[in-house]
């Protein structure tokens, strides 16, 4: 999931959701990217609980035959799934910020690492080793950074023309 914002040249450090820049001036691009993670709704949690109860009910027959590992395995599996869902819901989603404005590219990832490079010699390299994977790498003579790691394939494909256009405008 990503959000596109414009940066006004009159207010270089203030974000605005719409461009109030006169025509002919490049406002820049601010791109907030975040991992798309949806939480389970209450009906989905109830369905998950019903499936767990059915799994335990179906393990009764093997338990009556003396196979006690089947219900223990079912119980451990359901506990591991619940733990994984709760851990994922509480953890912070991965995110990145990419800014292309005033001839400079700034990239900041979720860990706080920041990369600065000039727009003049920067280029966007889209590597697709397989049809289901795509890596977007911004390269300049002194630095390179992979962007959009937290996005899905379709979102990365949609960003290629947007970033290429912002780079060409940033070189002017």
């Amino acid at each position: 999931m990503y959000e596109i914002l414009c940066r006004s040249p009159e207010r270089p450090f203030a974000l605005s959701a719409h461009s109030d820049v006169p025509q002919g001036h490049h406002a820049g691009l601010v791109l907030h990217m975040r991992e798309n993670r949806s939480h389970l709704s209450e009906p989905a949690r109830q369905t998950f609980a019903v499936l767990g109860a059915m799994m335990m009910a179906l393990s009764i027959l093997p338990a009556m035959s003396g196979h006690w590992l089947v219900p223990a395995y079912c119980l451990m599996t359901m506990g591991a799934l619940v733990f994984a869902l709760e851990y994922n819901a509480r953890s912070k989603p991965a995110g990145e910020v990419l800014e292309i404005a005033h001839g400079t590219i700034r990239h900041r990832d979720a860990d706080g690492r920041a990369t600065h490079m000039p727009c003049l010699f920067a280029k966007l390299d889209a590597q697709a080793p397989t049809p289901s994977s795509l890596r977007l790498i911004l390269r300049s003579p002194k630095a390179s950074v992979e962007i959009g790691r937290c996005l899905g394939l379709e979102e990365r494909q949609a960003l290629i023309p947007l970033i290429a256009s912002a780079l060409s405008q940033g070189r002017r």
Side-chain angles (χ1 to χ4, degrees), residues 27-157:
L29 171 75
V30 179
L31 187 63
H32 289 266
M33 298 171 274
R34 193 183 69 163
E35 179 183 15
N36 191 6
R37 239 197 287 180
S38 59
H39 298 286
L40 287 178
S41 62
E42 188 61 33
R45 288 183 181 270
Q46 290 172 353
T47 303
F48 187 71
V50 168
L51 287 174
M54 288 176 54
M55 188 178 197
M56 290 306 293
L58 290 175
S59 68
I60 290 175
L61 286 177
M64 293 174 87
S65 300
H67 301 287
W68 289 100
L69 290 178
V70 174
Y73 174 77
C74 290
L75 187 62
M76 287 180 2
T77 303
M78 293 306 296
L81 287 173
V82 168
F83 174 76
L85 287 171
E86 289 298 320
Y87 179 77
N88 187 39
R90 289 188 178 139
S91 65
K92 182 180 176 188
E96 303 173 47
V97 177
L98 176 69
E99 299 179 44
I100 303 174
H102 309 296
T104 305
I105 300 171
R106 293 180 189 93
H107 178 265
R108 188 175 58 248
D109 63 6
D111 297 330
R113 291 185 297 253
T115 305
H116 300 281
M117 61 181 81
C119 272
L120 188 58
F121 298 111
K123 67 175 187 165
L124 178 65
D125 186 15
Q127 299 175 349
T130 64
S132 62
S133 68
L134 176 65
R135 293 179 63 198
L136 301 177
I137 301 173
L138 278 172
R139 297 186 192 275
S140 75
K142 293 186 179 182
S144 68
V145 63
E146 183 178 355
I147 59 172
R149 285 177 276 152
C150 59
L151 300 177
L153 178 64
E154 295 84 17
E155 293 171 323
R156 289 181 196 174
Q157 290 171 342

